[in-house]
Amino acid sequence: MVRDKMKAVCLLAEQEIEIREVNVPSPGTGEVLVKVRAAITCGTDVKIYRRGHPKFPPPFVFGHEFAGDIVAVGDGVKGFEPGMRVTANVFAECGECFYCQRGQGNLCENLDYNFGSYAEYNLIPASIVKKNLFIIPDHLSYAEAAIVEPLVCVVHAANLVSVQPGEQVIVIGAGGPLSLLFIQLARLAGASSIIAVGHSDFRLSIAQQLGADIIINSKNVDAEPLIANLTKGRGADVVIECAGSSDAWEFAVSQVRKGGRVLWFGGLPGGTEVRLDAAKVHYGEITLYNAHGGTTEDAHKAFELISSGQLDVRTLITHEMPLEEIEQALQKMISGDAVKVAIIPE
Ligand SMILES: [Zn+2]
Ligand SMILES: [Zn+2]
């Protein structure tokens, strides 16, 4: 039975949250209503909590990595019915704009979003139902399946930088959820060694557990001479930046070898300037990649990676908390004491 009212986490202003009773939406044409069983925290949630979301004015029900049970479907929905366990990507491309027609759906001008999973029910828009709603196999938990959303962006980015067998890889900002996915994908691609640089001992220990060969806590030690030693003074073949600071962007370029590749993955606010040694980049033939979001194709690849068990996503879920403790959960993310928290409504 679907209830009329549900609890939902509403962001009212920067760092101001209230759990409110709101109406449970009913699915329109093509839409699907899901009872949320697990919604997991993400760095984007922390950003939204701190600064709000430019596209969604308050009160904004946020949360976007989730899985649950279908409880109702709108007219015209095919392939999905009540009782199915599902997860979904947070966005879907339109398929028709300039970018979509060029296979760059991640840059789509009309992306549809699905926020609102920090609530008891989540209504999935028709476009996402059509393209990016996935039926969860029995062996996966709800929280594990929900990792599909962050993995979409990682799959997209990993495909650009394309780690080759035998390459040495540095991951900066290591221990954060996305870095842990990059580390596992680099391992799968056959990287010869992975150096994880981060700030939290707790998170770095998980990086090590998931495949990093060497972990460096750059809060306590100077990473540069250690890396120079590990890369014979040349720098690494590939440097993946997941820290999201201009310092980390610059550091990434300083640690790559001639002919190497850098991936700037952690987005920075508009107007941020980054300093580069032009000679190093030019004469060293360094390739600089940027990646943002992912396409429907990336989403399907990501779900396949999780369902086939090629990636350990369970280890990323370090805590479980009720909906009422959402703020404590976000604080744990901020302090680095959690990788991801599964929020379990009721
Ligand atoms: Zn996310
Ligand atoms: Zn489009």
Side-chain angles (χ1 to χ4, degrees):
M1 261 299 280
V2 181
R3 297 201 314 271
D4 299 344
K5 297 271 181 192
M6 66 172 181
K7 279 187 215 150
V9 175
C10 299
L11 185 73
L12 304 179
E14 287 168 15
Q15 305 204 39
E16 198 188 323
I17 275 174
E18 197 175 278
I19 298 184
R20 290 186 173 172
E21 286 274 319
V22 301
N23 291 330
V24 174
S26 56
T29 303
E31 297 175 337
V32 162
L33 184 67
V34 174
K35 181 159 178 47
V36 178
R37 295 294 183 184
I40 57 182
T41 57
C42 158
T44 303
D45 298 333
V46 172
K47 257 193 235 169
I48 292 173
Y49 172 61
R50 283 175 153 167
R51 306 186 211 147
H53 195 297
K55 286 187 185 145
F56 303 97
F60 174 44
V61 182
F62 65 130
H64 60 281
E65 300 179 9
F66 78 103
D69 302 322
I70 294 180
V71 288
V73 300
D75 289 342
V77 169
K78 291 203 185 76
F80 297 102
E81 54 192 56
M84 285 177 165
R85 302 166 76 233
V86 290
T87 185
N89 193 15
V90 61
F91 48 74
E93 65 215 50
C94 75
E96 274 152 36
C97 72
F98 176 89
Y99 298 99
C100 284
Q101 287 187 353
R102 282 153 185 81
Q104 297 175 309
N106 59 309
L107 304 176
C108 175
E109 290 171 319
N110 316 303
L111 278 183
D112 266 338
Y113 288 98
N114 175 43
F115 282 97
S117 56
Y118 291 147
E120 291 176 273
Y121 295 90
N122 192 347
L123 185 67
I124 321 290
S127 57
I128 295 182
V129 171
K130 235 186 199 160
K131 293 184 171 139
N132 289 327
L133 183 64
F134 301 100
I135 299 168
I136 305 172
D138 290 343
H139 66 274
L140 279 186
S141 68
Y142 293 107
E144 288 170 290
I147 301 275
V148 69
E149 191 277 330
L151 185 58
V152 174
C153 308
V154 173
V155 162
H156 180 76
N159 190 38
L160 291 175
V161 77
S162 183
V163 171
Q164 298 299 306
E167 287 193 315
Q168 198 169 29
V169 178
I170 299 175
V171 178
I172 297 168
L178 297 162
S179 79
L180 298 173
L181 296 167
F182 274 115
I183 287 170
Q184 294 188 68
L185 287 180
R187 196 82 290 165
L188 280 178
S192 63
S193 78
I194 301 170
I195 303 166
V197 184
H199 276 167
S200 151
D201 283 335
F202 169 69
R203 286 181 160 202
L204 282 166
S205 72
I206 294 175
Q208 193 161 36
Q209 197 183 327
L210 292 177
D213 300 286
I214 289 140
I215 53 172
I216 299 174
N217 187 336
S218 57
K219 235 185 187 172
N220 307 333
V221 292
D222 185 0
E224 225 161 322
L226 292 174
I227 291 174
N229 196 26
L230 291 163
T231 61
K232 303 197 168 68
R234 281 193 293 262
D237 301 299
V238 174
V239 181
I240 298 174
E241 181 286 325
C242 309
S245 72
S246 49
D247 285 350
W249 277 45
E250 290 168 12
F251 183 67
V253 178
S254 73
Q255 299 307 306
V256 75
R257 71 161 169 83
K258 283 186 204 167
R261 282 115 58 215
V262 172
L263 169 66
W264 284 325
F265 187 73
L268 302 176
T272 308
E273 292 189 359
V274 175
R275 292 169 64 89
L276 287 179
D277 179 343
K280 175 174 167 112
V281 172
H282 179 80
Y283 295 106
E285 281 201 349
I286 291 166
T287 307
L288 301 169
Y289 287 102
N290 286 274
H292 171 65
T295 61
T296 298
E297 201 186 329
D298 296 319
H300 285 258
K301 267 190 219 159
F303 193 68
E304 169 58 24
L305 278 164
I306 296 180
S307 354
S308 63
Q310 290 178 81
L311 295 184
D312 174 356
V313 288
R314 181 171 302 191
T315 304
L316 271 64
I317 320 280
T318 52
H319 296 73
E320 225 179 78
M321 295 165 89
L323 198 61
E324 289 71 19
E325 288 175 27
I326 181 69
E327 278 198 276
Q328 289 95 310
L330 293 172
Q331 289 301 342
K332 270 190 181 304
M333 298 285 292
I334 292 168
S335 64
D337 293 326
V339 176
K340 277 185 174 291
V341 181
I343 301 292
I344 314 289
E346 80 186 22

